[in-house]
Amino acid sequence: MKNYKRYAAAATAAALTLGLTACGGEGTADETTVTTTTQATVEINTAELSEEDAAKVADVADLLTGELENKTIKWFSFYDPFHATTSGNTKALSLELFEEKYDGVIEYVPTTWANRFNDLSTKIVGGEGVDFIAGGDLDSFPKGVTNGMFQSVDNLIDYDSELWSGVKDINDYFELNGKHYLIATAATTGQVVYYNRQTIEGYGFDDPADLLEEGKWDWDAFKSMLLDFCDAENECYGLDGWFNEQPLMLTAGVPSVELRDGKLVQNFYDANLERSMNFMKSLNDNGLTLDKSLFNWSTHIEFIGEGKELFYISGLYEIESSPDIWTKTFGEAENVMFVPLPKDPEAENYYLPAGLDAYMLCKGAQNPEGVIKFMECILAANSDERTQEIARDKHINDYGWTDEMLEMQQKISEMTAEHPVYDIHAGCPTDMYNLIDSSDTGIRAAFYGGDWATVREVLKDAVQIYIDEFNAEVEAMAE
């Protein structure tokens, strides 16, 4: 463990630099499996590693300790990020470490996106002993705890140990009534703002990357550019993306609901939240967002490459593929760039939406110890500087990223690590989530032109009832 201490303190920022965050998808009527990008650990093609890189990987295994009697853990999901992917003979380094150090095996137990929670409940009741699921989308936490799907890991993890201390604060943030259920292995970069530099230059705008460097990339600059762009006589659509409302909301530093001192609370009357809602309403009122109803309720990234769209908000996974793929939508590689979400000019700090690499230990898991050992393999992979070199090479050689892209990714990672903001409304009880997420009664309403003060009055009492019920259920579990 002597080499680990120097890396553990930077575990969160190190994982952010890898930029391989998991993303969710919407279910479909026929419940087909939805693909997602992989976990926030380095992916490597073991068949192509040089001797030098292979030696680096082997050295990382020395950071891990202990033995594992039961070698198999069961991963329950609608996707499998741990084995071969469409990019070839690619394997997550965390799995490579799990195999080398513990002779570990991850058994994939498949489900569909639409049926995953029902299927998990059936397997738990049937005593099938599935071990862990993804938790980074925060759509199963905290409701899955009171629904009897997950168990605490406090008897399995020492968060003050060298291995876990780098992510202790993240895990403590998600404590529920004094217990840890969510196993967070890294904070990750959330959404970013994509743009095409040729379009920016053609309209005479300052490059957002330059504005960021000058401390001028904020809501005002963002909106001003959209106003000028959408005022043109040609076909222009301003801001596009499925993930606009929540990340813009979080730049004011306050989520709609959060865990505070282990209990669920709402922030609907917070002045910062109200300011972000009013900002989003102003974008709608000025016609600065793509009207998806005109396009069969779909986004159009290709408009960025065509110069008909100024900004697109989404995750970095959009360009973590072959450049032959992402240049077809965003435009020629040398013109594609991204920056963090713009700063709230009245906020005390530069707050950014954060992603999360996290997992949940299923109730009745057959191998809890094996899951924790694998989590420690993820921590080792995320925090070691040698594996970061492999990740950077992958972004350049496989994804076609420029040095400037890598530098911006690193900058956003560091900024996110300083002031990350999470919103857990997607993981709240279903009826409560439907209210908060609604375009009529919730946080989306402002983005579609709703007055927040009016929306809030309709929302607050109903949501508080669900919050009180949930907190009472959590307290009852501790009795």
Side-chain angles (χ1 to χ4, degrees), residues 161-378:
S161 66
E162 287 185 308
L163 196 56
W164 286 93
S165 61
V167 292
K168 182 181 188 301
D169 289 346
I170 308 173
N171 283 280
D172 287 349
Y173 178 82
F174 291 102
E175 271 189 345
L176 187 61
N177 202 29
K179 292 186 176 181
H180 297 89
Y181 294 90
L182 193 71
I183 313 170
T185 57
T188 60
T189 301
Q191 292 82 10
V192 300
V193 179
Y194 289 98
Y195 62 97
N196 186 292
R197 279 180 156 160
Q198 189 172 43
T199 303
I200 293 292
E201 183 179 349
Y203 280 81
F205 299 145
D206 291 329
D207 192 312
D210 293 336
L211 292 175
L212 178 67
E213 186 66 27
E214 297 166 4
K216 298 178 181 179
W217 178 238
D218 59 15
W219 289 356
D220 295 336
F222 181 76
K223 182 178 176 180
S224 176
M225 294 170 74
L226 285 168
L227 283 168
D228 289 345
F229 183 76
C230 292
D231 190 47
E233 295 181 358
N234 57 339
E235 185 181 12
C236 300
Y237 298 105
L239 173 64
D240 192 6
W242 281 118
F243 308 103
N244 295 330
E245 302 92 339
Q246 182 167 311
L248 283 171
M249 175 187 72
L250 296 181
T251 57
V254 178
S256 61
V257 294
E258 64 180 329
L259 284 172
R260 191 181 304 152
D261 298 325
K263 297 186 181 299
L264 199 61
V265 297
Q266 61 165 285
N267 294 316
F268 298 147
Y269 274 90
D270 189 285
N272 299 294
L273 180 66
E274 182 170 6
R275 189 168 61 253
S276 67
M277 292 298 179
N278 290 336
F279 171 67
M280 286 191 286
K281 183 178 185 301
S282 73
L283 297 181
N284 178 278
D285 291 347
N286 285 280
L288 306 182
T289 61
L290 177 76
D291 184 353
K292 297 183 184 66
S293 67
L294 300 176
F295 301 96
N296 196 28
W297 296 102
S298 61
T299 60
H300 285 273
I301 308 178
E302 74 277 7
F303 286 173
I304 291 286
E306 295 171 8
K308 295 190 297 187
E309 200 167 78
L310 191 60
F311 297 131
Y312 190 97
I313 296 177
S314 191
L316 284 173
Y317 55 81
E318 298 282 5
I319 56 175
E320 286 179 330
S321 62
S322 168
D324 292 339
I325 297 175
W326 56 263
T327 54
K328 291 179 180 178
T329 52
F330 287 107
E332 295 181 0
E334 61 267 24
N335 292 325
V336 179
M337 192 55 185
F338 56 87
V339 287
L341 271 291
K343 182 185 182 297
D344 172 2
E346 296 185 38
E348 181 180 358
N349 299 302
Y350 201 134
Y351 298 104
L352 286 174
L356 194 67
D357 188 40
Y359 305 84
M360 303 282 286
L361 182 64
C362 300
K363 184 65 71 72
Q366 56 92 28
N367 191 2
E369 293 80 7
V371 171
I372 301 307
K373 289 297 184 187
F374 179 60
M375 297 296 103
E376 292 175 351
C377 291
I378 294 176

Side-chain angles (χ1 to χ4, degrees), residues 120-139:
L120 178 58
S121 294
T122 299
K123 291 185 180 299
I124 291 173
V125 171
E128 296 189 31
V130 292
D131 290 307
F132 70 122
I133 73 165
D137 285 339
L138 295 176
D139 61 353

